[in-house]
Amino acid sequence: MIVLGLETSCDETGVAVYDTARGLRAHALYSQIALHAEYGGVVPELASRDHVRKLLPLIRQTLAEAGLVPRDLDGVAYTAGPGLIGALLVGAATGRALAWALDRPSIGVHHMEGHLLSPLLEPDAAPPPFVCLLVSGGHTQLVAVEGIGRYTLLGETLDDAAGEAFDKTAKMLGLPYPGGPQLAALALAGRTSAEAAGRRESRFTFARPMTDRPGLDFSFSGLKTQVLLAWKASDQSELTKADLALGFEDAVTETLALKCERALRETGMKALVVAGGVGANRQLRARLAALASRRRVSVSFPRLEFCTDNGAMIAFAGATRLAAGQRDLEFRVQPRWDMATLDAVSTLVPPPVA
Ligand code: KG4
Ligand code: ZN
């Protein structure tokens, strides 16, 4: 089954074609970062308008790269939520119109299910059951995944998402939008300066929020205030800024790793999967890899370009559901959407050939 996937929930236009027999055939991404940079964050109306401009050219480009014409498609998947309502509507209207014109089924995909299944785009990925750490700009969740559509929320953030904490802290330190990757890059210099001074750890140690009590919830909103206070009390040099970035990154990634370990212990599951934009963070990946080898469990990550928003994960999740016979019955997008309400799918599409 050959499925076109469209992602337009926020500030990236993503298009991909997933073939259940041959794996990912082609994918393309257009990022709106430059458009929103001067405002320091995503402007929803500008995002919707840009999706309108970019989506059709990207669909044409992706089909051409896959060597396909629209008639070759067996179905169309698009992100139906959660996300910005106007942005979601662009993908949904385009996807449904295309499916209708081709007389093929369409399916609205849950954006976070797309992230959650994205490690399965790799040939060596572990199938469910697994514990999934979903860490993006809008979500921080630990989910027990028994199968496709069988998701139990184990814990989540009570305030800022991990990516949001990265972005807000970066902005506070004067780094350009989007701050998460910039702060992570600056933290690398932090390590160098700390080592140069003969220290083996970051100069700054911030709290590991909510790790001193049982449970799997998170709270990241207090960290940015701790960083701000430390910054104000410091010499405000570039070196100090890098040391602060490292201290912040240490606090977030160690907290995430600690809760992952707890979730693995509590569920008895033997596999950990990481997905979402913060999954691109190298320190987090290193900590979780170390944890996995220590606990003798497996850990899988999406490839770096599929950690952040992309069309491939939507094409894959859509293909999985369409192949199981599910399809849209009504036109609906949902800015907020609980993953626990999704239908279960018993058959997993086979992993792509290496
Ligand atoms: O999954 P995603 O592309 O969009 C959402 O669905 O939210 O995640 C974007 C988030 C942003 O907050 C961004 O700053 C963060 O992921 N991010 C990172 C890194 N790369 C992206 N945070 C820390 N380190 C990174 N290397
Ligand atoms: Zn996302």
Side-chain angles (χ1 to χ4, degrees), residues 205-211 219-220 222-223 226 247-248 250-252 255:
T205 305
F206 299 113
R208 274 55 173 157
M210 297 183 72
T211 53
S219 164
F220 289 116
L223 272 178
Q226 288 182 41
F248 170 83
D250 283 343
V252 173
T255 302

Side-chain angles (χ1 to χ4, degrees), residues 4-8 12-17 24 26-30 54-63 310-312 315:
L4 178 73
L6 310 177
E7 156 62 32
T8 66
E12 339 256 13
T13 317
V15 178
V17 176
L24 192 63
H27 65 98
L29 187 81
Y30 175 80
K54 294 296 180 333
L55 192 52
L56 286 177
L58 271 188
I59 292 173
R60 287 194 193 100
Q61 179 190 327
T62 309
L63 286 175
N310 64 85

Side-chain angles (χ1 to χ4, degrees), residues 7 9-10 111-112 115 136-139 276-277 307-310 313:
E7 156 62 32
S9 67
C10 189
H111 180 83
M112 298 314 290
H115 276 304
S136 71
H139 292 76
C307 283
T308 44
D309 292 348
N310 64 85
M313 66 184 197

